[in-house]
Every structure is written in structure tokens, then in C-alpha cells.
Amino acid sequence: MSPFLSIVTRTYKRPRGLARCKLCLEGQADQDFEHLVIEDTLGLGVAQSHQLIRDSQSTGDYVMILDDDDFAATPYMVSDLKAAARAYDPDVIVFRAVNAQLGIMPSRFVWQQYPLLGHIGGNNVAVKRQVWNACIPAIMTDGAGGEPVYEGDFYYIDAVWHYTTRLHWLDKVLVIMPHIRRGGTEEQ
């Protein structure tokens, strides 16, 4: 039987952040998830690591991205996502995250609206695996099939919005994003 949730974490030379990310997942009240750590051993940066995310072999009913320097805001992140999935059977669960530099994302100004670049990221959604498989190739490019870009998360979210309208908006903060490193190491 497959797990409810696949949590995909990309990492590059951030052992303290990754340890904290893993620790918060070990503390989840509901352990019905798999944690896939995608290591960027070459230091290709976040734009290039999108290929590693695309190629990850998730088996969960739903999939979400949780970067190595981010962590669950509550020990009930998995429980809250599972409850929303069971109650509404959405293709996409959109939830809030606290970004240290930008505040709550998505903000109240864009909540329950089409996503805007910089207001929502890959860490704000859990999607059914079928949606993940169909939309994750968009994470690789600038939305027009060009070169990999830092903003690949947004193009992935944009593809999700065009793929399905079966969304559930879970008005809870489930993820904390204390840094915007843009692929840098902990020392940068």
C-alpha cells in the first residue's frame, strides 16, 4: 500500500537545515508519508535541481515539496493534509506557509485566486500524484520550454492551475520557510 504523502526535499550542502527538516518530519503525529531526499551533489543550484525533483520516484497518493531549509510548522501537517484530502478529494490542496522575508504566503490579497509569481511556491501545495506526474516537467523551464530557471516552482504551480480546477484551500500555516537562499549553502 502506498503512503498518503510523498515529501520531496532537495538539498545542497545544508546539513543543519536538512537535519532540522528531517527532525520535524520524524515528529509528525501521522507518519503515513515517505520522505525523498534529492541530493544535488554537483552544486548545480536550485534551477538545475528541479530536474532531480522531476525525476524523483514518488509513490504517495499526494506529493509536496519541502526544501531542506524549510520545516513543518506543526506536528499535524500530514494529519491536516490527510483530513482535507479525505473530506474533499481535491487534486490540489493549497495551504499557507510563513516566509521569513515575505510573511504569510499566499497572502490574503491573493488567497483563493490564480497564483502570482512570488506569492506562492512549490512549498504551498500538495497535489495528487497523477497531477504531479503531469505537471512536474514544467518545473524545469521558464514556462516556454526554455532553460531551467530559479522560478521553476512557479511554472510548476502555473501548470497545476491549468491542469485542474479541483482545489481545496486549507487556511492553515503548515510550512515555515526561514530563509530564501536561492540554492546557496548554509554559509552563503
Side-chain angles (χ1 to χ4, degrees), residues 72-84:
T74 167
Y76 303 103
M77 177 185 78
V78 175
S79 300
D80 288 341
L81 290 170
K82 186 186 275 186

Side-chain angles (χ1 to χ4, degrees), residues 14 20 69-70 99-101 176-182:
R14 295 193 279 218
R20 184 177 60 195
D69 57 347
D70 301 338
N99 179 298
Q101 286 87 3
I176 304 291
M177 299 181 292
H179 307 285
I180 297 178
R181 296 189 198 273
R182 299 192 184 271

Side-chain angles (χ1 to χ4, degrees), residues 10 37-38 81 95 186:
R10 54 189 163 202
V37 177
I38 309 299
L81 290 170
F95 52 86
E186 288 172 328

Side-chain angles (χ1 to χ4, degrees), residues 5-68:
L5 184 64
S6 294
I7 301 170
V8 179
T9 299
R10 54 189 163 202
T11 188
Y12 172 67
K13 293 187 178 183
R14 295 193 279 218
R16 290 186 308 272
L18 181 59
R20 184 177 60 195
C21 179
K22 287 180 175 180
L23 187 62
C24 82
L25 294 176
E26 290 169 9
Q28 288 296 298
D30 187 334
Q31 289 288 309
D32 190 9
F33 66 88
E34 67 179 349
H35 187 208
L36 304 171
V37 177
I38 309 299
E39 186 131 9
D40 176 5
T41 56
L42 300 176
L44 299 174
V46 71
Q48 293 292 330
S49 74
H50 287 145
Q51 179 176 353
L52 301 173
I53 289 176
R54 183 194 68 192
D55 296 341
S56 68
Q57 299 297 314
S58 61
T59 63
D61 298 334
Y62 284 79
V63 184
M64 69 173 281
I65 297 170
L66 184 67
D67 286 334
D68 62 355

Side-chain angles (χ1 to χ4, degrees), residues 104-125:
I104 294 179
M105 296 174 58
S107 71
R108 63 185 175 94
F109 302 109
V110 295
W111 186 246
Q112 296 185 329
Q113 297 179 32
Y114 185 82
L116 298 173
L117 181 61
H119 291 270
I120 190 169
N123 289 355
N124 287 110
V125 298

Side-chain angles (χ1 to χ4, degrees), residues 162-174:
H162 285 92
Y163 185 82
T164 185
T165 58
R166 296 191 43 191
L167 310 172
H168 175 69
W169 296 81
L170 181 61
D171 194 7
K172 291 185 176 187
V173 171
L174 298 184

